[in-house]
């Protein structure tokens, strides 16, 4: 079963712990009504570098049916890290969707699992940022149940989120199949931009960047289109390296658009200044990679997967 993880110091000892959300149901053998909730677990790092399950860290609550992406930020304003978990529900027909979850810190050091808000959808991706300038960390989600495709869930300061009523993003991205989103400063002007990726061969859902005009209101922004890779149309993640003329986007892809689905492992490198594209890894059949990030290993700059077991290691 799929498991997704993120990193934080949950117990405040200065060591990096792990939060893991693990799917427990199989859509091939269960129904939407019999699917069981995922397990949410903290793993504590010990002084020797090993990890053990932190059995007492979660005080209350249960996981969602199908977690997809956990993200860390201080969502309730107490100075401690919390976890927002994007959830999309039973992953087969009739695709009922579900509510996202938020794992919130308490004064006693434990955590409560709660519904993040009232919205129900197929939330395959999410990213955190203050989208309305009120000092509270909000979440941007992609939800193909909603014609907006991407929108902000605004945080009330306690870790509860509601869908904003205005259209922050341009009409050009509506009714597209986006499943991944990141908010990051792509053009290095000090303002966070928005990257969107999904099923490129369906509903003109090309991968795009929305450049921040300065106020987090992207509604009048013309999307910057990114080059596609034929037959590798499922876009899963983006990462950034370099600066200036050497600023590069790294897109993780898998197969889609040629009659296959999630059957390959592909990494695309795009120079931001020129939009020149090269495919630096293309393996098929191969296990797909959900996330990629830059790392320095033994003095060498590499692009690696979030899970070392996937064996992804590409020179930058």
């Amino acid at each position: 079963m799929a498991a997704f993880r993120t990193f934080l110091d949950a117990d405040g000892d200065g060591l990096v712990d792990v939060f893991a959300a693990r799917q427990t149901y199989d859509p091939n053998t269960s129904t939407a009504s019999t699917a069981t909730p995922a397990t949410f677990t903290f793993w504590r790092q010990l002084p020797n570098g090993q990890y053990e399950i932190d059995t007492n860290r979660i005080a209350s609550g249960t996981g969602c049916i199908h977690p997809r992406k956990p993200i860390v930020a201080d969502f309730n304003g107490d100075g401690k890290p919390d976890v927002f978990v994007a959830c999309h529900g039973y992953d087969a027909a009739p695709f009922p969707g579900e509510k996202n979850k938020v794992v919130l810190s308490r004064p006693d050091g434990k955590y409560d699992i709660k519904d993040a808000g009232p919205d129900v959808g197929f939330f395959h991706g999410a990213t955190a940022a203050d989208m309305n300038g009120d000092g509270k960390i909000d979440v941007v989600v992609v939800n193909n149940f909603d014609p907006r495709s991407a929108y902000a869930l605004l945080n009330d300061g306690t870790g509860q989120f509601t869908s904003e009523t205005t259209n922050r993003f341009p009409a050009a991205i509506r009714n597209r199949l986006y499943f991944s989103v990141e908010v990051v400063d792509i053009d290095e002007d000090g303002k966070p931009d928005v990257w969107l990726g999904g099923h490129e061969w369906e509903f003109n859902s090309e991968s795009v960047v929305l450049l921040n005009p300065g106020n987090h209101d992207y509604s009048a922004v013309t999307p910057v289109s990114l080059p596609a890779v034929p037959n590798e149309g499922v876009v899963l993640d983006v990462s950034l390296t370099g600066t200036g003329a050497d600023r590069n986007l790294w897109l993780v892809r898998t197969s889609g658009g040629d009659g296959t689905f999630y059957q390959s492992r592909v990494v695309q490198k795009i120079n931001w200044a020129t939009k020149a594209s090269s495919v630096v890894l293309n393996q098929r059949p191969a296990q797909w990679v959900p996330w990629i990030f830059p790392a320095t290993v033994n003095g060498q700059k590499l692009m690696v997967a979030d899970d070392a077991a996937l064996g992804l290691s590409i020179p930058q």
Side-chain angles (χ1 to χ4, degrees):
M1 300 297 178
F4 301 102
R5 66 189 64 80
T6 191
F7 305 93
L8 72 166
D9 182 6
D11 54 11
D13 65 354
L15 299 175
V16 178
D17 307 312
V18 175
F19 170 84
R22 181 176 295 275
Q23 173 189 337
T24 64
Y25 81 101
D26 184 346
N28 295 312
T29 58
S30 68
T31 65
S33 61
T34 62
T36 51
T39 58
F40 285 7
T41 310
F42 284 97
W43 291 75
R44 178 174 55 234
Q45 184 178 175
L46 304 176
N48 63 5
Q50 299 296 309
Y51 286 84
E52 68 178 12
I53 295 179
D54 193 348
T55 56
N56 296 318
R57 190 61 50 190
I58 295 178
S60 67
T62 58
C64 55
I65 296 297
H66 200 128
R68 179 55 179 78
K69 185 178 181 182
I71 51 177
V72 174
D74 180 9
F75 293 116
N76 60 5
D78 66 354
K80 302 175 184 177
D82 308 302
V83 184
F84 181 100
V85 184
C87 302
H88 63 56
Y90 182 71
D91 198 15
F95 296 100
E98 65 179 327
K99 296 177 180 178
N100 297 308
K101 294 288 185 176
V102 63
V103 187
L104 293 172
S105 57
R106 307 184 346 168
D108 62 4
K110 296 185 179 183
Y111 282 80
D112 293 320
I113 303 171
K114 299 181 178 181
D115 289 341
D119 295 77
V120 174
F122 196 91
F123 300 105
H124 194 273
T127 187
D130 179 4
M131 297 302 292
N132 58 359
D134 66 355
K136 302 164 188 173
I137 304 300
D138 309 306
V139 172
V140 178
V141 294
V142 280
N143 173 18
N144 66 290
F145 282 14
D146 194 294
R148 292 175 292 177
S149 301
Y151 53 91
L153 297 176
L154 299 180
N155 183 3
D156 68 359
T158 71
Q160 287 297 291
F161 300 82
T162 55
S163 175
E164 64 179 350
T165 57
T166 59
N167 286 324
R168 181 176 302 275
F169 299 116
I173 73 162
R174 295 174 196 166
N175 296 299
R176 293 187 175 184
L177 287 183
Y178 289 126
F179 294 95
S180 299
V181 59
E182 293 292 344
V183 174
V184 62
D185 183 7
I186 293 175
D187 61 359
E188 300 181 279
D189 66 351
K191 301 186 290 286
D193 309 305
V194 177
W195 168 86
L196 293 163
H199 291 184
E200 290 180 331
W201 74 98
E202 297 185 280
F203 303 104
N204 298 313
S205 306
E206 60 184 352
S207 300
V208 297
V209 170
L210 306 177
L211 295 175
N212 193 330
N215 58 0
H216 298 290
D217 181 357
Y218 307 83
S219 60
V221 169
T222 299
V224 178
S225 299
L226 299 177
V229 176
N231 302 323
E232 309 296 342
V234 178
V235 186
L236 299 166
D237 191 29
V238 69
S239 190
L240 288 164
T241 61
T243 187
D246 294 322
R247 187 72 159 166
N248 294 306
L249 291 83
W250 302 76
L251 272 62
V252 179
R253 297 171 171 271
T254 189
S255 70
D258 64 343
T260 65
F261 199 50
Y262 280 77
Q263 298 300 309
S264 65
R265 175 186 299 192
V266 175
V267 177
Q268 177 190 20
K269 181 180 179 181
I270 302 172
N271 180 269
W272 173 246
T274 65
K275 306 304 182 292
S277 168
S278 60
V279 177
V280 297
L281 179 71
N282 193 339
Q283 298 174 339
R284 186 193 288 214
Q287 175 62 44
W288 57 281
V289 173
W291 293 295
I292 191 173
F293 63 92
T296 301
V297 181
N298 297 324
Q300 185 178 13
K301 292 184 177 181
L302 303 171
M303 300 303 296
V304 301
D306 73 304
D307 186 348
L310 292 174
L312 181 71
S313 181
I314 301 171
Q316 293 182 26

